[in-house]
Amino acid sequence: MSTHNVWTHKGTFLLAAVGSAVGLGNLWRFPYLTGENGGGAFILIYALTIFAVGIPILIAEIMLGRNSRRSPIMGMRFLTRTHKTSRGWETIGWLGAASAFIILSFYSVIAGWALHYTGLMLTGSLDGADAETIAASFDALLASPPLLTLYHSLFIGASALIVGLGIHRGIENGLRILMPALFVILMVVLAYSAAIGDLAAAATFLFTFNVADLSLEGWLQAMGQSFFTLSLGMGAIMAYGAYMSSDASLTRTAFAIAVVDTAVAMIAGLAIFALVFGAGLDPGEGPGLMFVTLPLAFAEMPGGALLGGVFFILVLGAAISSAISLIEPVAAFLVERFDLERPQAVSAMVIASWALGLLTVFSFNLMAEATLFHTLFGRSAFGLLELLTNIFMPLGGMLIALFAGWALTHGEVMKEMRTNETWFRVWRFLVRFIAPAAVAFVFLRTIPQVEGYLLPTIGAVVIVGAFAAGRTFLAERQES
């Protein structure tokens, strides 16, 4: 990779990584999981797993990107050659690229819903609407393939335009405007929620320390959230790491990303649930919270239409910052491998992902009833795509931890981390043993849900990964 492909400023990587991490999940999933699983108790477990699992793998993934200065696929190809390890480790790059490609396909469809609701809010179409009207409006959106396809196309096109302009003119300049604007909008929404809603009820829901409500499932969800919230295992962090300045501190940056990502989720949780409880509504999980419950709360509040429009602009901004990070790993690979111009590479990736996204569009209407997907896999096409990424990302993250922990030498890691021996030993212990074991739990949680013909495929991927790890471990022992 040419040397000019480095972020202009050290802080840009932080903006890029936070932009990748802060997405739709921060705005509803994390706050809801916190409230339903013991509040402060869940946050404590989440913080511990962020430290023991999320941050070590985050450092490892950035390190692999910065060390190789290439896209995830080409970077892992380069690292396996320079470290004389099995080519099976290239699976890391392919799993990340596949995850990013698939996630973009359905993420774009769901983010398109926010585009629809931004319009509804700003035009005052939902002013004074009751619960039945708003629920019917959401159902009508899902039942309309042309409307979903239009929003899907607009959203993915806007994301592609930013990435197509290049590392500096597109991604870097876009993030410098987008991320500060998102934080300002988030604080405006919080201030409004505090004035109009029930902030005390939201704080009680989120932060009351209730160990009795934290089940084993809650522990596993905290573990899974600590992994997925940082965008690990989908190539984005490795791709962005390739553009990271050699002078920037890996450890400080990784901790900053984790803290900002968690803070955004907490603030969003307070803002959203203050509105929900203030309107006397139920904090239901899933898209229903964002696209039915919240619009209902906005419809009942003074100035709610304007604030609702501002809120959905926030949702759109968070979604776009994540979407551009999903395009980059595959686009960068196409540029390096096939010598394409960046606009060509981005267009190829986005058009293919857009086409795959039509399966998600049709999952809510034309293919909602029993189809080939339901017969073969016991779930909708959207459910199948989501399941695949829930398998690929933890598997990729586990392999990243093992490769960085075992294949990279002491000297290489110290050169990249520029840290003291104590933190190096803590990080290496966590990344070699604790993080892979924890991510394996996240991965194995998904396996019982898998039916039919997916099992042989997943089994083959696991065997390849295990074989690659074993080869590296044996080689290291022989050298020592």
Side-chain angles (χ1 to χ4, degrees), residues 113 137-145 148 361-366:
W113 302 350
S137 171
F138 184 53
D139 290 340
L141 171 65
L142 297 187
S144 173
L148 290 179
V361 167
F362 299 144
S363 291
F364 298 108
N365 36 71
L366 301 179

Side-chain angles (χ1 to χ4, degrees), residues 109 142 144-146 148-149 355 357-369 371 380-382:
V109 176
L142 297 187
S144 173
L148 290 179
T149 303
L358 295 179
L359 288 177
T360 298
V361 167
F362 299 144
S363 291
F364 298 108
N365 36 71
L366 301 179
M367 294 167 57
E369 302 302 321
T371 61
S380 67
F382 169 55

Side-chain angles (χ1 to χ4, degrees), residues 1 13 17 58 96 100 136 143 165 206 215 243 259 274 292 336 353 382 392 394 423 432 435 453 460 479:
M1 178 172 289
F13 175 81
L58 181 60
L165 287 172
L206 285 172
S215 62
Y243 312 134
V259 168
V292 177
E336 292 171 14
S353 191
F382 169 55
F392 290 169
W423 171 238
R432 279 183 166 184
Y453 304 109
E479 287 174 8

Side-chain angles (χ1 to χ4, degrees), residues 276-313:
V276 170
F277 289 125
L281 303 173
D282 178 46
E285 185 184 5
L289 170 66
M290 188 171 290
F291 299 108
V292 177
T293 309
L294 273 176
L296 182 58
F298 290 131
E300 296 176 357
M301 291 181 172
L306 178 61
L307 183 82
V310 170
F311 174 78
F312 281 106
I313 289 171

Side-chain angles (χ1 to χ4, degrees), residues 154-245:
L154 289 173
F155 178 84
I156 207 168
S159 305
L161 184 62
I162 294 171
V163 183
L165 287 172
I167 305 301
H168 301 305
R169 281 201 310 142
I171 299 175
E172 194 164 6
N173 287 341
L175 288 169
R176 278 191 204 155
I177 297 168
L178 193 60
M179 297 313 294
L182 288 185
F183 295 132
V184 170
I185 292 172
L186 184 59
M187 297 312 295
V188 168
V189 175
L190 177 64
Y192 180 93
S193 300
I196 302 297
D198 191 342
L199 196 62
T204 301
F205 180 71
L206 285 172
F207 302 126
T208 300
F209 200 93
N210 193 345
V211 179
D213 287 344
L214 186 63
S215 62
L216 175 60
E217 181 65 18
W219 276 69
L220 291 171
Q221 285 179 327
M223 206 177 288
Q225 185 68 15
S226 72
F227 177 84
F228 289 114
T229 191
L230 295 177
S231 299
L232 302 174
M234 66 181 198
I237 297 298
M238 201 184 299
Y240 282 166
Y243 312 134
M244 187 182 186
S245 165

Side-chain angles (χ1 to χ4, degrees), residues 345-420:
V346 171
S347 297
M349 189 277 183
V350 165
I351 289 169
S353 191
W354 174 88
L356 182 62
L358 295 179
L359 288 177
T360 298
V361 167
F362 299 144
S363 291
F364 298 108
N365 36 71
L366 301 179
M367 294 167 57
E369 302 302 321
T371 61
L372 179 65
F373 284 96
H374 287 278
T375 304
L376 291 179
F377 307 112
R379 63 191 70 238
S380 67
F382 169 55
L384 176 62
L385 293 173
E386 193 176 31
L387 173 65
L388 285 173
T389 59
N390 285 340
I391 293 168
F392 290 169
M393 286 175 65
L395 188 54
M398 188 165 56
L399 293 176
I400 286 168
L402 291 171
F403 186 86
W406 294 94
L408 298 185
T409 64
H410 176 278
E412 274 182 301
V413 175
M414 289 299 282
K415 179 184 173 185
E416 289 289 344
M417 288 181 70
R418 290 193 185 84
T419 188
N420 57 61

Side-chain angles (χ1 to χ4, degrees), residues 308-334:
V310 170
F311 174 78
F312 281 106
I313 289 171
L314 166 67
V315 174
L316 272 175
I320 283 183
S321 68
S322 295
I324 61 178
S325 75
L326 294 168
I327 296 171
E328 183 59 24
V330 180
F333 165 69
L334 295 175

